[in-house]
Amino acid sequence: MMDKDTSVGADGLSDKPVGGAESPAELRRRIEETRERLGGTVEELAAKADVKARARARGAELKGRAGEAGQAAQDKAAEAGRAAQDKAVKAGRAAQEKAAEAGHAVQGKAVEAGHVVQGKAAEAGHAVQEKAVEAGHAVQGKAVEAGHVVQGKAAEAGHAVQEKAVEAGHAVQGKAVEAGHVVQERVPERVRLTALSVVQAAKRHPGPVLIGAGAGAVVAAGLLRRRSNARG
């Protein structure tokens, strides 16, 4: 009669079943399989139970990231705003400086134009003054020339009148001399002496005395005529 296999496993138990029952090794194997299955099931259950927690964590993470992104965007916008403000301030200062420079340039041009206009006005005033002086000198020269002409005309007229007076005086003097000769011949000695004195005075002063001499001669001639008529 043959003996049954009585091999012993690593744990000292036989791997062969005894009397148709499972061996301890088989039991261990089954226990390990059952344990592994239970472990997987527990992990799956735990994983399924932790989905909400993980979703909440994911949401918090995404919210944090969104907050960080929003803060970063806000910081970028603030930096861009500050940069734009700085650029606007610089542009405003540059524009203000340009406007001030343009204003100074315009003011300088206006001052220069004013000086030019003032200089032109002064030159025009000097020119007008010189023209007025020249015109005054011309008028004065014309007046002097006219005065000289009038003076010359007056001198010529005076010379002509003087010549006429001298001629008249000579004529009257001649007439007086003739009358004197006649008186001297016909009048008495006293009248003759008077006539002679008149003639001598007329020779010394041929101007105003000649008229008186002529009058005396006429008177003497009248006396002679009366006497002649009386005698006749």
Side-chain angles (χ1 to χ4, degrees):
M1 188 177 166
M2 296 181 61
D3 295 333
K4 294 182 180 179
D5 187 4
T6 57
S7 60
V8 179
D11 54 358
L13 297 176
S14 175
D15 291 332
K16 297 294 183 178
V18 178
E22 293 182 354
S23 65
E26 185 67 22
L27 292 174
R28 285 195 299 273
R29 184 178 62 79
R30 288 186 179 184
I31 291 171
E32 289 296 334
E33 290 178 355
T34 302
R35 185 182 295 170
E36 289 178 359
R37 287 195 300 271
L38 290 175
T41 301
V42 170
E43 289 178 358
E44 289 177 2
L45 292 174
K48 289 180 180 180
D50 197 36
V51 169
K52 294 182 179 181
R54 282 188 297 177
R56 287 194 297 269
R58 184 64 176 171
E61 182 181 359
L62 293 176
K63 185 177 181 180
R65 290 183 180 179
E68 291 177 357
Q71 186 64 37
Q74 187 176 2
D75 294 340
K76 292 290 186 181
E79 291 178 1
R82 286 193 293 269
Q85 186 177 3
D86 293 339
K87 288 183 179 180
V89 171
K90 290 180 181 179
R93 290 176 180 174
Q96 187 176 5
E97 291 176 357
K98 292 292 184 181
E101 291 177 0
H104 293 163
V106 170
Q107 186 177 4
K109 293 293 184 180
V111 172
E112 292 177 0
H115 291 166
V116 171
V117 171
Q118 187 176 3
K120 293 295 185 180
E123 292 178 0
H126 293 163
V128 170
Q129 185 177 4
E130 291 177 358
K131 291 294 185 181
V133 171
E134 291 177 0
H137 291 166
V139 171
Q140 185 177 4
K142 293 294 185 181
V144 171
E145 291 178 1
H148 291 166
V149 172
V150 171
Q151 185 177 4
K153 294 293 184 179
E156 292 177 0
H159 293 163
V161 170
Q162 186 176 6
E163 290 176 357
K164 293 293 184 180
V166 170
E167 290 177 0
H170 291 166
V172 171
Q173 185 178 5
K175 293 294 184 180
V177 170
E178 292 177 359
H181 290 309
V182 173
V183 170
Q184 187 176 2
E185 291 176 357
R186 296 182 180 183
V187 299
E189 185 68 19
R190 182 174 58 82
V191 176
R192 189 170 57 248
L193 292 175
T194 301
L196 182 61
S197 64
V198 170
V199 171
Q200 290 178 354
K203 289 181 179 180
R204 289 193 301 270
H205 302 287
V209 181
L210 292 177
I211 298 172
V218 172
V219 172
L223 291 175
L224 289 176
R225 288 193 189 116
R226 289 177 182 178
R227 288 186 180 184
S228 296
N229 293 328
R231 287 177 185 179

